[in-house]
Amino acid sequence: MDIPPFDLPAALSVVQVAPAAAGQPGVNLSEALVGVPGILARDRQNYAQDAQISIRGFGSRATFGVRSIRLYVDGIPATLPDGQGQVSHFNLDSADRVEVLRGPFSVLYGNAAGGVVQLWSAEGTPTPVTTLGMNAGSNDAFRYSVDTRGTLGPVDYNIAGSEFLSGGYRPHSRVRRESDNARFGMDLGDGKKLTIVANRLNQPISQDALGLTREQVDADPRQVASAATQYNTRKSILQNQLGAIYEQRLDSGDQWRAMGYFGQRSILQYQSIPVGVERSPLSPGGVVALDTDYGGLDTRWTHTGQLAGRDVEFVLGASIDGQRQHRRGYNNFIGNTLGVIGALRRNEDDNVDSVDEYAQWYWHFAEQWSLLLGARHDDVRFSARDLHITAINPDDSGGVSYAATTPVAGLEFRPGHDLRFYISYGKGFETPSFNELGYRSDGLPGLAFNLRPALSRHLELGAKWQITRALEFDAAAFGSDTRDELAVRTSESGRSTYQNVGDTRRQGVEFSLTGQLADSWQVSAGFTHLQARFRSAFLACRSTPCTMVTMPVAAGTRIPGVPENYGSLRIQHGSDLGWHESLDLTGVGSVTVNDTATQQAAGYGLIGMDASYTFALAASTRLQLSARVDNLGNRRYIGSVIVNDSNGRYFEPGPGRTWMLGARLVF
């Protein structure tokens, strides 16, 4: 809906993306999220597993990729219908802004929407502009990029490409990533517009150093798990995606929008599953090969007008999304040679279809009051067709369906032009992903179709204050109760199965201050206090490996991977020409790493600084030279955790002091 963020009864942060201004290389999404409350983005320093992102505690259990959060690029889903997503193809070189939505109104985005992150590419500029960038730094890191924007007649364009290489902070962490993104906007006249977005991710090598045990971290945080080198654990990824959005204004008050997209994603991952475990007739092997075709359609009608003399806006839409995945599993050995593709052990087609309908209604029903209502109905169908059938490993084909209707409502009070108070409430749901359905807890082959969806209720109270026209302070108190939360049931030799464990609660407060403090001074600050607890007692793994849950987890135990306090601050000074400096502060509290809360990672605070100088070489040509230092204090810390890791290797150490030099030429 076309409502300014300040007037929404929801916690929505909009961050303008400008990597060059902050001396950032533009490699990770977390660079753009400094100062945004509620969201915690941790770079694992392990590009085989992508970033670890959670919003108000949702998504913390993801051992790879992004779980429980909906992701979008230019309005096109980056989350598959089963709820699993990734941000590795988010291209910051072509980006204009990132939007982070938290709280009840996230549920309008459907399955697994504990929060929403959207990246929007910039439109082409009236005058063509090209940017060439190069960065080099610690751990053999190197990145080069190019972005060109402009307008050709009725078409505006923004095309970007980059390559990133790094040897990694720890041994066996080498990565090579190529990212390309192109956006074309076409004015078709008569109120019609067509936007085409194409992107490509090619990550042919990303070694996986795996996590470390507590003893290993204490001895040497830069070491690599022996299983990683023994089995040469690694992953390769190739993704191509194309999307189109057609918009047409029917009259002064009606607009129609249709979006379609299609993509292909291939993954080949070598895991460290022991040979002895793989020799079982029911083992799916230690090499995972996934070929996924996915796509969808979304169409919506928007009406704006008057009701009782007041502005009203109504949106009605429907979408369909599909995922066709061919999953194969192989042994990760041939004879005595490890880390290679061996005999076929698993072969199946895993499909997901989602059909959704949604509606939103906004009414500014009085001078100081507005109301926003919404509802969504989701039908999600999982099915699996077993293609690897033997006398010992029978046909495991099957399917399961999930459906839910999720309403949401928000009321806002405007006592003055610079102040807003609001309350919002909504219900959400989250199906298990194929990762959680993938293995049964009884050790038999086939999918875990006994798992139920997690149902949640969200409440938020918030206030927004525009201190000046360029400076805003936001505050929110929130609470989310979830029924049938998913947690680990068994964990052995790199395989985890899941169970529904009852009720959980996530509640807390968040604050942010963003904008311009004074001439040439900008601030972006966010702080979150969050209590995330299991409200129902259940049985969990006492230790790893674990084939049976025997350890009681008491009600009130912390949900693993969720810090009680975290925040970040960025202060910038400077202008387009001459010197530009910034200071970053990041603080994250301690987290437990397993359901039993028997181990934890300590909290930490980090300082980052950068400085750049921009030269005017000609009327439209500029050269920027920059230098950046992260973890200025050279602190030892755990950058991210692998929740409930089946081998007890929970900890992923963050790098010590690192530096990065950069140069950007704009013409």
Side-chain angles (χ1 to χ4, degrees):
M1 303 185 84
D2 190 19
I3 305 171
F6 189 66
D7 293 330
L8 273 175
L12 174 64
S13 297
V14 181
V15 181
Q16 299 300 315
V17 178
Q24 300 276 13
V27 175
N28 300 306
L29 179 64
S30 59
E31 299 172 24
L33 298 176
V34 175
V36 179
I39 188 169
L40 182 61
R42 289 176 151 181
D43 299 320
R44 296 178 182 270
Q45 301 299 313
N46 181 350
Y47 291 92
Q49 305 299 345
D50 210 350
Q52 186 180 62
I53 300 178
S54 62
I55 294 181
R56 294 181 177 178
F58 288 94
S60 63
R61 77 168 186 272
T63 55
F64 66 93
V66 180
R67 190 75 183 89
S68 307
I69 299 169
R70 300 294 297 187
L71 305 170
Y72 292 83
V73 177
D74 292 315
I76 297 171
T79 299
L80 295 178
D82 72 336
Q84 189 74 41
Q86 51 86 33
V87 297
S88 53
H89 71 295
F90 277 35
N91 189 297
L92 296 180
D93 296 297
S94 60
D96 173 64
R97 67 189 187 278
V98 176
E99 298 179 356
V100 180
L101 177 64
R102 310 173 296 282
F105 276 92
S106 302
V107 305
L108 284 177
Y109 289 81
N111 176 29
V116 181
V117 179
Q118 298 203 56
L119 181 141
W120 295 94
S121 300
E123 296 182 357
T125 53
T127 302
V129 176
T130 298
T131 302
L132 303 178
M134 182 180 296
N135 297 85
S138 301
N139 304 317
D140 299 323
F142 179 79
R143 183 178 188 269
Y144 62 87
S145 62
V146 58
D147 175 62
T148 183
R149 311 176 185 187
T151 302
L152 291 173
V155 179
D156 71 87
Y157 61 88
N158 182 350
I159 304 172
S162 67
E163 182 172 29
F164 171 67
L165 304 107
S166 175
Y169 168 65
R170 297 163 59 201
H172 201 74
S173 298
R174 186 164 59 91
V175 63
R176 176 186 168 197
R177 172 189 288 179
E178 301 169 2
S179 176
D180 306 296
N181 190 79
R183 178 199 176 278
F184 301 93
M186 306 177 190
D187 186 351
L188 304 178
D190 256 352
K192 302 174 185 176
K193 183 179 180 180
L194 177 64
T195 304
I196 296 177
V197 180
N199 54 60
R200 172 181 178 268
L201 170 71
N202 181 29
Q203 194 166 305
I205 180 64
S206 44
Q207 294 177 319
D208 188 352
L210 305 178
L212 299 176
T213 65
R214 168 54 64 188
E215 293 74 21
Q216 290 172 324
V217 169
D218 291 343
D220 178 10
R222 298 200 68 167
Q223 68 176 294
V224 60
S226 59
T229 54
Q230 183 182 9
Y231 289 92
N232 192 14
T233 50
R234 62 200 187 275
K235 180 190 285 187
S236 61
I237 306 170
L238 176 63
Q239 175 177 300
N240 294 287
Q241 182 173 290
L242 177 67
I245 301 173
Y246 176 79
E247 299 169 281
Q248 180 177 352
R249 184 164 295 282
L250 304 176
D251 53 41
S252 60
D254 295 278
Q255 181 174 321
W256 181 69
R257 175 188 181 274
M259 181 273 292
Y261 70 101
F262 174 77
Q264 294 180 318
R265 182 174 173 87
S266 297
I267 295 176
L268 182 62
Q269 181 177 11
Y270 295 78
Q271 301 174 310
S272 58
I273 309 301
V275 171
V277 174
E278 292 185 61
R279 294 193 188 280
S280 165
L282 301 180
S283 169
V287 178
V288 179
L290 301 175
D291 292 312
T292 306
D293 293 338
Y294 60 92
L297 297 169
D298 178 275
T299 182
R300 69 185 65 164
W301 165 65
T302 302
H303 173 78
T304 57
Q306 296 279 305
L307 178 62
R310 296 288 181 178
D311 291 340
V312 66
E313 183 174 347
F314 179 72
V315 177
L316 183 65
S319 64
I320 180 170
D321 298 274
Q323 172 183 338
R324 301 289 178 265
Q325 186 174 88
H326 186 197
R327 176 188 292 263
R328 285 149 294 155
Y330 302 89
N331 284 339
N332 59 5
F333 65 92
I334 298 177
N336 295 323
T337 303
L338 306 179
V340 296
I341 295 179
L344 179 69
R345 304 303 305 276
R346 184 174 190 173
N347 188 13
E348 66 192 37
D349 288 332
D350 294 336
N351 302 325
V352 187
D353 293 294
S354 176
V355 179
D356 317 305
E357 305 86 28
Y358 57 89
Q360 297 179 62
W361 186 66
Y362 174 78
W363 186 25
H364 191 180
F365 63 89
E367 183 66 28
Q368 295 181 312
W369 294 89
S370 63
L371 179 67
L372 181 57
L373 304 175
R376 184 183 180 102
H377 181 78
D378 294 84
D379 285 289
V380 185
R381 165 74 179 176
F382 290 79
S383 63
R385 184 166 66 98
D386 192 354
L387 304 174
H388 184 66
I389 303 171
T390 67
I392 301 176
N393 190 342
D395 188 348
D396 305 309
S397 303
V400 64
S401 295
Y402 304 101
T405 299
T406 52
V408 65
L411 180 66
E412 185 177 68
F413 174 56
R414 309 175 181 183
H417 72 279
D418 58 353
L419 194 59
R420 303 287 187 268
F421 296 100
Y422 67 88
I423 181 172
S424 58
Y425 174 83
K427 294 183 178 181
F429 94 119
E430 179 180 2
T431 70
S433 69
F434 260 121
N435 178 49
E436 289 141 350
L437 292 170
Y439 306 101
R440 291 170 46 165
S441 59
D442 57 10
L444 296 177
L447 300 184
F449 291 127
N450 62 312
L451 294 178
R452 300 182 298 276
L455 304 177
S456 55
R457 296 177 298 169
H458 308 261
L459 178 65
E460 179 175 292
L461 297 171
K464 304 176 184 182
W465 177 28
Q466 285 190 334
I467 303 172
T468 68
R469 294 181 61 183
L471 186 64
E472 181 176 328
F473 174 77
D474 293 351
F478 57 87
S480 300
D481 289 339
T482 301
R483 188 174 77 239
D484 285 330
E485 183 84 37
L486 286 168
V488 168
R489 179 173 177 84
T490 66
S491 187
E492 183 182 20
S493 301
R495 303 293 191 207
S496 294
T497 67
Y498 292 82
Q499 61 179 331
N500 296 102
V501 297
D503 298 342
T504 59
R505 172 169 289 176
R506 300 168 175 89
Q507 61 184 4
V509 293
E510 63 183 32
F511 307 96
S512 67
L513 178 68
T514 56
Q516 189 170 325
L517 290 173
D519 289 344
S520 303
W521 287 91
Q522 291 184 318
V523 64
S524 180
F527 172 78
T528 305
H529 172 69
L530 173 62
Q531 295 179 343
R533 299 284 191 272
F534 292 108
R535 299 185 67 199
S536 300
F538 64 98
L539 294 178
C541 290
R542 183 176 297 275
S543 61
T544 56
C546 164
T547 58
M548 183 177 298
V549 288
T550 59
M551 179 74 170
V553 176
T557 301
R558 291 177 62 180
I559 296 176
V562 183
E564 289 197 338
N565 297 287
Y566 57 95
S568 56
L569 163 72
R570 174 175 291 155
I571 296 178
Q572 300 181 71
H573 173 260
S575 56
D576 293 340
L577 290 175
W579 286 104
H580 188 284
E581 310 88 25
S582 73
L583 170 70
D584 296 351
L585 303 177
T586 301
V588 178
S590 64
V591 298
T592 58
V593 299
N594 51 9
D595 290 336
T596 55
T598 55
Q599 293 199 51
Q600 70 174 23
Y604 59 86
L606 302 176
I607 301 174
M609 298 180 66
D610 63 68
S612 65
Y613 192 87
T614 302
F615 304 84
L617 302 182
S620 58
T621 303
R622 297 181 179 183
L623 174 65
Q624 181 200 63
L625 302 179
S626 64
R628 179 171 179 84
V629 179
D630 284 297
N631 192 4
L632 187 64
N634 200 28
R635 284 206 57 181
R636 290 179 58 165
Y637 71 103
I638 302 300
S640 59
V641 297
I642 307 172
V643 171
N644 290 314
D645 182 78
S646 60
N647 295 288
R649 297 191 290 255
Y650 304 114
F651 306 99
E652 293 181 302
R657 185 187 299 115
T658 58
W659 57 269
M660 180 74 73
L661 301 179
R664 278 183 169 84
L665 180 65
V666 182
F667 58 93

